[in-house]
Amino acid sequence: MIKQALENLKINALNEIQQASLSAAKKSDIVLLAPTGSGKTLGFLLPLLGLLDSNIKTVQCLILVPSRELALQIEQVFRTIGSGFKVNCCYGGHSVKIERNNFTEPPAVLIGTPGRIAHHLRRKSFDSTAVHTLILDEFDKALEYGFQEDMEFIIRQMPAVTKRMLTSATQMDQIPAFTGIKDPAVLDYLGNVAATPDLLQKVVICEAEDKLEALFGLICKIGNHSTLVFCNHREAVERISELLWNMGLPHGIFHGGMEQDDRERALLKFRNGSHKILITTDLASRGLDIPEIENVVHYQLPHNEEAFTHRNGRTARMHAKGTSYLLLTKDENPVYLNELPEPEQLPKRPIVPQPSEWATLYIAAGKKDKINKIDIVGLLAKKGGLERDEIGLIEVLDYSSYVAVKRSLIEKTAQLLKTEKIKNKKVKIEVSI
């Protein structure tokens, strides 16, 4: 099953962390300490495959995560593995009715945020007595977000748990007793050189009043490469976004004050390449499924070294290389840097990069309408006249789907599909704004 999973994931071999997790899981509970981007999601999903039983028709494994984005990421990875076991996601901002309907045929694997899972347990939406495996992913972050009380309640409702796995991106003095973890195999890769990202750090020194202009010049120099711009507050994200749009720089934004649908759409467009720049708070520093980020820009200094590390961990993932840029005024000197990185020279006359080659097509039908990626590819090829290399990433949500299409062709494609049907049903198809 592991071999087939790796083929489905298009992975040639397991890394050291994943191999160690597979071996340790056979004997005991696991505490996996590893930096962001080290592949720890597969470190707990692959051992899980050998624990699931197709004869059990209720929830067997519960994965608790601190954020809805992380829940969706893990769900997507598990689906790609192609185990044949049902998986569902529960999180705040998602329809409770949809989630309750999903429990009419319970999943083998349930992924969710503590608040929403506790909500379902209190309303007896699903039977938790057969759960034998508990995974606490990014446990340190869950504690930081204040989920301890919910997690304690949830774990008390699971009397049959025999296998526990916990992951953390920071060192922990001790594992809280409420987790039930005793004498675990501790896999500590936080100081592992092999897991250390290949990260180049640079600094841009500017006057405080010239910071936005410096950011604009830096992005113009970086060009069309995936870039996360970190700010400390959502107000700063909104302010910078408005000014960059005025300067002609397309981008997305992401912060906790946005509606869930808007957040998902922003991440989706960043993932599929429609936007190369995402301006965000530290909400995007952990637990998001955004592969191949080439650059991180610290527009505002993070408050501590841990936050700085997690921001940088979004790039140079899984043996790739990345660059981290610090925008500093002359009197700023981060205490967590022994010395300032090498300076980055900005162009005297910045040239705005060309828009991404991809744009996003919206389809008003999804999983609950029995629509899948094969249906969408067929529609785009037969009725939209697109070749396979003109279709990019496809993401199918509950009631909607999004497809990356070559920007030069998207308006024509939308026109051709305007009156077409999927599964004999007419649905709205348009360019996503």
Side-chain angles (χ1 to χ4, degrees):
M1 187 180 283
I2 299 293
K3 183 181 178 184
Q4 184 59 53
L6 295 184
E7 285 181 14
N8 293 342
L9 291 162
K10 296 181 172 55
I11 294 174
N12 294 325
L14 298 176
N15 67 21
E16 184 183 351
I17 291 172
Q18 293 153 356
Q19 288 172 340
S21 297
L22 267 175
S23 298
K26 296 172 185 173
K27 305 170 189 172
S28 62
D29 290 348
I30 293 175
V31 171
L32 175 57
L33 305 174
T36 301
S38 54
K40 55 185 166 58
T41 299
L42 283 184
F44 61 75
L45 285 183
L46 293 177
L48 175 60
L49 298 179
L51 302 173
L52 298 174
D53 184 346
S54 58
N55 295 314
I56 298 175
K57 301 304 179 185
T58 187
V59 180
Q60 300 178 54
C61 170
L62 176 66
I63 304 175
L64 288 179
V65 297
S67 71
R68 60 196 81 181
E69 288 81 15
L70 182 54
L72 290 165
Q73 171 192 336
I74 297 169
E75 179 191 35
Q76 184 59 47
V77 174
F78 189 82
R79 288 186 190 280
T80 305
I81 283 172
S83 66
F85 288 99
K86 185 179 178 183
V87 59
N88 280 136
C89 239
C90 297
Y91 51 87
H94 193 223
S95 167
V96 173
K97 184 179 178 183
I98 289 174
E99 292 176 358
R100 288 187 68 103
N101 288 342
N102 285 336
F103 286 128
T104 56
E105 291 183 22
V109 178
L110 179 60
I111 307 164
T113 51
R116 182 53 65 90
I117 296 295
H119 170 90
H120 282 299
L121 284 172
R122 289 188 176 99
R123 284 153 186 78
K124 301 190 181 334
S125 300
F126 69 96
D127 179 8
S128 61
T129 58
V131 175
H132 54 65
T133 301
L134 173 67
I135 297 171
L136 303 170
D137 192 24
E138 296 208 352
F139 182 70
D140 54 333
K141 200 70 176 174
L143 291 179
E144 183 184 320
Y145 284 175
F147 286 133
Q148 177 166 335
E149 189 176 325
D150 282 331
M151 289 193 290
E152 285 191 50
F153 168 75
I154 292 164
I155 293 170
R156 285 200 302 270
Q157 313 308 308
M158 306 201 168
V161 171
T162 56
K163 174 67 68 178
R164 292 170 168 85
M165 298 184 234
L166 180 154
T167 81
S168 173
T170 58
Q171 196 65 251
M172 306 184 73
D173 294 333
Q174 61 181 41
I175 305 299
F178 75 81
T179 63
I181 293 175
K182 297 173 184 174
D183 302 319
V186 179
L187 308 177
D188 186 352
Y189 289 89
L190 292 175
N192 190 323
V193 175
T196 302
D198 186 357
L199 184 70
L200 175 64
Q201 296 198 29
K202 294 191 171 186
V203 65
V204 174
I205 305 291
C206 60
E207 300 293 338
E209 60 271 21
D210 297 331
K211 210 167 187 182
L212 185 71
E213 192 177 323
L215 175 64
F216 176 73
L218 177 60
I219 291 174
C220 289
K221 183 170 184 177
I222 288 171
N224 259 326
H225 297 279
S226 56
T227 302
L228 278 176
V229 179
F230 280 103
C231 304
N232 291 341
H233 309 287
R234 62 184 65 166
E235 294 79 11
V237 171
E238 296 282 356
R239 186 181 73 251
I240 293 164
S241 172
E242 184 178 352
L243 292 167
L244 288 184
W245 275 112
N246 291 339
M247 291 170 157
L249 264 178
H251 61 272
I253 64 170
F254 183 82
H255 60 69
M258 298 166 63
E259 292 292 327
Q260 177 61 20
D261 285 350
D262 293 335
R263 278 164 59 173
E264 285 187 5
R265 192 159 49 246
L267 289 181
L268 189 148
K269 289 186 176 183
F270 192 58
R271 274 197 297 269
N272 73 20
S274 294
H275 283 150
K276 292 293 188 178
I277 305 161
L278 187 67
I279 304 169
T280 180
T281 59
D282 282 338
L283 186 63
S285 65
R286 295 174 65 178
L288 297 187
D289 180 20
I290 315 175
E292 299 174 10
I293 295 171
E294 296 163 90
N295 306 285
V296 164
V297 177
H298 304 272
Y299 182 80
Q300 293 172 316
L301 274 180
H303 299 301
N304 54 50
E305 184 173 7
E306 183 181 336
F308 183 65
T309 300
H310 287 310
R311 286 181 179 185
N312 287 337
R314 299 312 309 171
T315 187
R317 295 162 68 84
M318 299 295 285
H319 311 302
K321 295 182 179 183
T323 305
S324 167
Y325 298 92
L326 271 167
L327 265 64
L328 300 179
T329 59
K330 291 173 183 175
D331 56 350
E332 284 182 304
N333 188 17
V335 294
Y336 39 80
L337 288 180
N338 295 326
E339 59 181 358
L340 286 181
E342 66 173 282
E344 177 75 357
Q345 300 302 318
L346 300 182
K348 288 186 170 60
R349 294 183 180 177
I351 298 173
V352 177
Q354 291 295 312
S356 159
E357 64 175 327
W358 297 103
T360 301
L361 194 69
Y362 164 76
I363 301 172
K367 287 183 281 193
K368 299 301 179 184
D369 305 295
K370 309 299 183 187
I371 301 298
N372 59 39
K373 293 181 182 180
I374 296 170
D375 299 324
I376 292 170
V377 170
L379 177 72
L380 294 173
K382 291 173 185 173
K383 302 294 185 177
L386 295 178
E387 301 294 333
R388 188 64 192 90
D389 62 356
E390 294 166 345
I391 304 169
L393 183 68
I394 300 173
E395 297 200 38
V396 182
L397 308 181
D398 282 337
Y399 291 108
S400 60
S401 303
Y402 295 86
V403 191
V405 173
K406 284 294 173 76
R407 187 174 295 274
S408 59
L409 300 171
I410 194 162
E411 293 288 352
K412 178 184 174 185
T413 303
Q415 279 296 118
L416 288 171
L417 299 179
K418 194 164 60 173
T419 59
E420 293 297 335
K421 296 179 180 179
I422 304 183
K423 295 276 179 78
N424 295 317
K425 180 182 175 185
K426 191 175 185 309
V427 298
K428 180 189 283 188
I429 301 175
E430 61 187 13
V431 179
S432 176
I433 56 171

